[in-house]
Amino acid sequence: MDEMLLSLEFWTTIAHWLTGIGTVVLAIALFKTFRHLEAVTKKNNIETEYRLRPWIGPSSGIRRIDNSINGNIQFSITIKNFGDLPTSGVKAKSLISTKPLGKESLKESLSEFDLGPLLPHMEKEYWFFVDNSIWDDVLNNDATLFVAIYFEYISMTASNGYGMISEYNKNNQTFVHKEMWIDYPQVSLK
């Protein structure tokens, strides 16, 4: 009988030790699982805020329209939503000058137009006009024409934008983009 009790106590002790070791292994596995879930959540936040959002930008260069609707010289640029999600509204802002422009120029009062919503892979045209007197000065008096255009739009997180500053090349009769940039919200990795 003693051998049987000793044997039963021995096996009970072994079972308790194995239960303790199993509990420690389970606790470590749960800890690693929660760390993995935290990393996946951060990755999903980054993906949502950067990849799964509207991406608005030009899909064409600036081109002149021959038949202007208001008597001034009319130009057009096509923008497109390259992203996978729509944006509820795009505002286009522009500034025309014979003096060089920079990003800080876009803080001045600008001509602004609401282009409305833009679905994924949808295109819209934005028109801007150059006063006839400025255009004559560019063609006849060697003045240089600069245009700054900024497209502002809202994603799920904040305001975004695409800006460009272009100079008219009289020899080629085209605009050359001097500066382009994208404004997007910073992702918090909390």
Side-chain angles (χ1 to χ4, degrees), residues 114-144:
D114 187 4
L115 293 170
L118 209 55
L119 300 175
H121 311 292
M122 181 179 180
E123 292 184 333
K124 285 191 176 182
E125 284 196 37
Y126 171 64
W127 298 339
F128 63 93
F129 300 91
V130 176
D131 188 74
N132 284 324
S133 62
I134 294 174
W135 186 249
D136 288 339
D137 201 24
V138 168
L139 293 180
N140 302 324
N141 298 329
D142 290 331
T144 307

Side-chain angles (χ1 to χ4, degrees), residues 28-150:
I28 291 170
L30 282 174
F31 176 74
K32 289 194 176 248
T33 300
F34 285 126
R35 295 277 314 265
H36 177 72
L37 288 174
E38 182 181 19
V40 168
T41 302
K42 283 182 186 178
K43 179 191 164 285
N44 286 343
N45 285 344
I46 292 170
E47 183 178 42
T48 300
E49 292 181 26
Y50 279 99
R51 191 178 73 84
L52 298 175
R53 69 180 195 89
W55 283 96
I56 307 299
S59 64
S60 74
I62 299 172
R63 60 190 174 280
R64 184 173 175 189
I65 297 177
D66 291 329
N67 299 322
S68 178
I69 59 173
N70 69 357
N72 291 323
I73 307 304
Q74 183 176 355
F75 291 91
S76 171
I77 185 167
T78 303
I79 62 166
K80 181 177 181 176
N81 181 356
F82 293 95
D84 293 329
L85 292 178
T87 182
S88 59
V90 178
K91 288 183 183 172
K93 301 174 182 181
S94 62
L95 178 65
I96 288 130
S97 175
T98 54
K99 297 177 182 148
L101 299 171
K103 282 184 182 181
E104 65 279 349
S105 305
L106 291 168
K107 294 179 180 153
E108 300 173 12
S109 80
L110 305 171
S111 169
E112 185 174 312
F113 187 78
D114 187 4
L115 293 170
L118 209 55
L119 300 175
H121 311 292
M122 181 179 180
E123 292 184 333
K124 285 191 176 182
E125 284 196 37
Y126 171 64
W127 298 339
F128 63 93
F129 300 91
V130 176
D131 188 74
N132 284 324
S133 62
I134 294 174
W135 186 249
D136 288 339
D137 201 24
V138 168
L139 293 180
N140 302 324
N141 298 329
D142 290 331
T144 307
L145 179 65
F146 295 93
V147 61
I149 302 174
Y150 189 76

Side-chain angles (χ1 to χ4, degrees), residues 167-181:
E167 178 182 350
Y168 184 72
N169 183 326
K170 192 165 46 172
N171 296 331
N172 297 337
Q173 297 180 357
T174 59
F175 278 89
V176 178
H177 301 312
K178 295 293 186 178
E179 188 175 356
M180 297 176 281
W181 67 95

